[in-house]
Amino acid sequence: MKHFSAARLAREALRGQSGWTEHWRSPDRPAHAYDAVIVGGGGHGLATAYYLAKQHGIRRVAVLEKGWLGGGNTGRNTTIIRSNYLMEESAALYNHAVKLWEGLSRELNYNVMFSPRGVMMLAHTVHDVQVGKRHVYANQLAGVDNDWLSPDQAQEYCPPLSLDAGMRYPVLGAALQRRGGTARHDAVAWGYARAASALGVDIVQNCEVTGIRRDAGGAVCGVDTTRGAVATRRVGVVAAGHTSVVMAQAGVRMPLESYPLQALVSEPVKPCFPCVVMSNTIHAYISQSDKGELVIGAGTDAYTSYSQQGGLHIATHTLDAICELFPQFRRMRMLRNWGGIVDVTPDRSPIIGKTPVPGLYVNCGWGTGGFKATPGSGHVFAHTMAHDAPHPINAPFALDRFRTGQLIDEAAAAAVAH
Ligand code: FAD
Ligand code: PYC
């Protein structure tokens, strides 16, 4: 079997000329057999494959991606990384990820451009102040950095922020996580893909999984794809937005809803915005990419859909909020906008673990906030698949919690409306 570098695969796929899949399944070859198959070549799936190979010695792994690497939410998100979640279980999970982010470029020998420039979450009402302070105190108790700032301190940290008292939603304070920041999203997918490929993982683009096969005892024994069948006893589904569709192939019903979430970028300008600012209340968040574009994210659409495009009124509402908070951006032009499909659980926390089907594992439900988790998610999911048992960090995030009622209620943690 032929290996190409991930970056070459991505480039060729974008040009529609990838020779890879043709080499992979010529009709005269027997069906392939793997120790593990990952469905979905986003950051989480690729990270899982990397850690399976690197930490657990499971190298006969195939990552099957229906489109191109990172073409799902991984390449569509606004790259905010933080771990200032309220519940202990979440703080542990996201903090695990932040620690891995700190050494990731070195680990992968690929510059993922992790930039811990600080994430500031604004409070506009008395309720926001109370919720923000509650997060700060909970985080400090859990060993996660988070500080409360007065409005003046917030402006000192982010000079473009307006403190105009006449605003619809004046700034009353902010929570600041200094270790939070951003990274380059597609570099994360490419970095994991290249490192996994170097360890022997097969990465196959343009290959949609269309069926999950089960043996007479009900255990997983393979998958069907648009390129033919693959034999395996271990399948990890990491197909954000489409998890329910894929899991239905194995007869498993998921507690998930899929929504469009959108973002947009401005024309590039010189560095003018030093950190990440988020406002949950007025549903806007903003940072500046290394290319100079202002990266702006909006809320989810109100209705479930598989459309990779959000409603125009949602984007308009977000731009109103951005212009109110940062009046100097009123004359900026927006270059492009896009959407992704996020899958959301009832308690707004992810599902990472085993399923009722032996050999079938699932990693999903990250909603609007899974990019920041990528390294930690792949790390603990690989452990789960390798040992057929969860890592202590992801044990509370089992699918079974929707039966037992041991939910991890993070409704207030997401950055955007949902
Ligand atoms: P994806 O990258 O979506 O990968 C799943 C892959 O599965 C896709 O490539 C898809 O093509 C593939 N797939 C689906 N079905 C099949 C099939 N049948 N066969 C084969 N392949 C299949 N999170 C943050 O932490 N910070 C943010 O600032 C942030 N901003 C966001 C902004 C937007 C606009 C969006 C849409 C999301 C944002 N998120 C953010 C959420 C974050 O992007 C996701 O939670 C995360 O990227 C999920 O990664 P993933 O690898 O699980 O999914
Ligand atoms: O979870 O930090 C986040 C986030 C920002 C934008 C979308 N999600």
Side-chain angles (χ1 to χ4, degrees), residues 277-335:
V277 174
M278 312 179 68
S279 167
N280 295 12
T281 299
I282 49 179
H283 306 152
Y285 46 101
I286 179 167
S287 64
Q288 187 172 23
S289 75
D290 293 301
K291 279 195 285 183
E293 300 159 330
L294 296 178
V295 181
I296 297 171
T300 45
D301 276 18
Y303 301 104
T304 53
S305 155
Y306 287 117
S307 157
Q308 283 184 318
Q309 188 183 341
L312 187 58
H313 63 293
I314 306 267
T316 308
H317 173 86
T318 292
L319 290 174
D320 283 347
I322 292 293
C323 292
E324 187 173 357
L325 291 170
F326 309 101
Q328 68 274 46
F329 294 150
R330 278 192 184 135
R331 294 171 61 198
M332 297 277 293
R333 279 170 295 201
M334 292 299 129
L335 266 195

Side-chain angles (χ1 to χ4, degrees), residues 38-46 64-82 85 94 204 207-211 238-243 245-246 249 259-264 278 285 296-298 308 338-343 363-374 377 415:
I38 305 293
V39 184
H44 290 229
L46 292 162
L64 309 181
E65 164 54 50
K66 75 174 175 183
W68 66 93
L69 298 187
N73 291 338
T74 296
R76 294 165 186 270
N77 75 84
T78 46
T79 83
I80 296 172
I81 295 169
R82 58 187 176 87
Y85 283 68
Y94 291 100
V204 189
C207 179
E208 180 173 357
V209 171
T210 52
V238 202
H242 293 89
T243 313
V245 178
V246 178
Q249 295 169 7
Y259 291 90
L261 175 68
Q262 63 179 307
L264 56 164
M278 312 179 68
Y285 46 101
I296 297 171
Q308 283 184 318
W338 64 89
I341 308 160
V342 298
D343 47 21
N363 182 335
C364 64
W366 293 95
T368 59
F371 176 71
K372 66 175 79 62
T374 305
S377 159

